[in-house]
Amino acid sequence: MLFNSLAFLLLYLPIVVAVFFWLGRLNRQYAAAWLAAASLFFYGYWDHRYLLLLGTSIAFNYWMGYCIGHAPQPIRKTWLGLAIGSDLALLAYYKYADFFIVSVNGVAGTNWPLLNIALPIGISFFTFTQIAFLVDTYQGKVNEYRFVHYGLFVTYFPHLIAGPVLHHKEMMPQFADPRNYRASALNISVGLSIFVVGLAKKVLIADNIAPIANAVFQPDAQPPLVEAWIGVMAYTMQLYFDFSGYSDMAIGLSRMFGVQLPLNFHSPYKAENISEFWRRWHMTLSRFLRDYLYIPLGGNRSGPYARYRNLLLTMLLGGLWHGAGWTYVVWGGLHGLYLVIHQVWQGLMTRLGWKTGPAYAVGARLLTFAAVAFAWIFFRAWDFATAADIIGGMFGSHGVSLPSVARLFDGAFRAVGWSPRYDGIQWVDASGLFVLVLAMVLAWFAPNTQELFCRFEPCLEPMTGRDTRSRLYWTPTATWAITIALLFCACLLSLHRPSEFLYFQF
């Protein structure tokens, strides 16, 4: 079931919320069980065949967590290794078995048949969430083992399909808070507002620039120079507003139940270096990779060269986590290389005592964005041939003709003595270009969702953790309600053909 579908908006969500708060007044355990069951229905709506897989994974990891938490120290580590190994083996089978076969066939010249395994939706996210639970249990951070609450923690529908990646300690105290089983006007108004903003990001922005990216990234599209750049920018913005929109919608939905999910985005395209980008982009995944991969590999404890190796390995595996393909590995490798270059540059600046100023900050932001956008080519391309085709187009190997929409400015072009060709890809139209420019302006200059909604109540700044309770806050007003209602109506009018979120494929 899609967040951006009429079935979800008009049937599923109102029923789930109403029954949850009604049961919450009678018995909190019944309400938690209802929410867990509704979340399983939400997952099974896609394909009921994988409900058994999800249920088995939950039961196995719950039992492993109990064993880890109650076993003596020497045995706890054995239980932890067994549990994580089993989770990763399951993920590897469903996500990487065919990728492994294709890779072996290509290298060894064999002809092993593919297994054609359908990827269960959300398997990467619920696997990583449960691995985090197992490690937290091993480290003594888990003190509560009620099965219903654990099942709700894993299946909780706002985050089940595409994150954020959660820690048990972040969620379970909130499910145990009796106040969250009573409807709150503030929670519902703020939650709905955040949800509608996320819905607008997806429906009104990401989906409207998707045709440009899809056309340019088609195999053998041979985009001319201008359209190659437009297509790369379109995908760069589409991915951000698609996934950022999903994360906002997840946070908003959860807030309606009084549960606060961790932030996942904080204006990543405003980052001034690649390390800052990863502190702003998919923040819960970055945290997971840091805590459960980079630090166990040794982090920066063994000198700079070991740090560079660990950064590269972490990002290579992070790229492979996103998808079973060598293009994802290259994308991860590029980001690992970017991080190494940043560390070297930062050390050089420190040794030489170089100072930075406003001009440096602008240049650093543009360079970081350009590096990220270039890496997205491999993230999106079907194969290396498609990526090379687009990169070649960006350097003019397919000519410099303009999209047909540029005919509107033909008079101005001829006035300066230029008679361009207009035989580019036809999907680059005026409306798509307008939305693309709007998306770029919003991503670079507008306040993000949490900056908007920090005005509703006290909160912590995402990047610094600094308490902002001294600021003056205001509650939702009639003008705000009308604005959100009109935005929601605009989204509903655009839901004639709901599209899946991009991160569902990961």
Side-chain angles (χ1 to χ4, degrees), residues 482-498:
I482 293 172
T483 302
I484 290 296
L486 291 175
L487 188 60
F488 183 61
C489 290
C491 293
L492 287 179
L493 293 174
S494 302
L495 290 181
H496 51 88
R497 190 186 301 173

Side-chain angles (χ1 to χ4, degrees), residues 186-204:
L186 179 63
N187 283 338
I188 291 175
S189 60
V190 173
L192 278 175
S193 298
I194 295 174
F195 176 84
V196 171
V197 169
L199 182 64
K201 286 182 180 180
K202 165 65 175 172
V203 174
L204 302 182

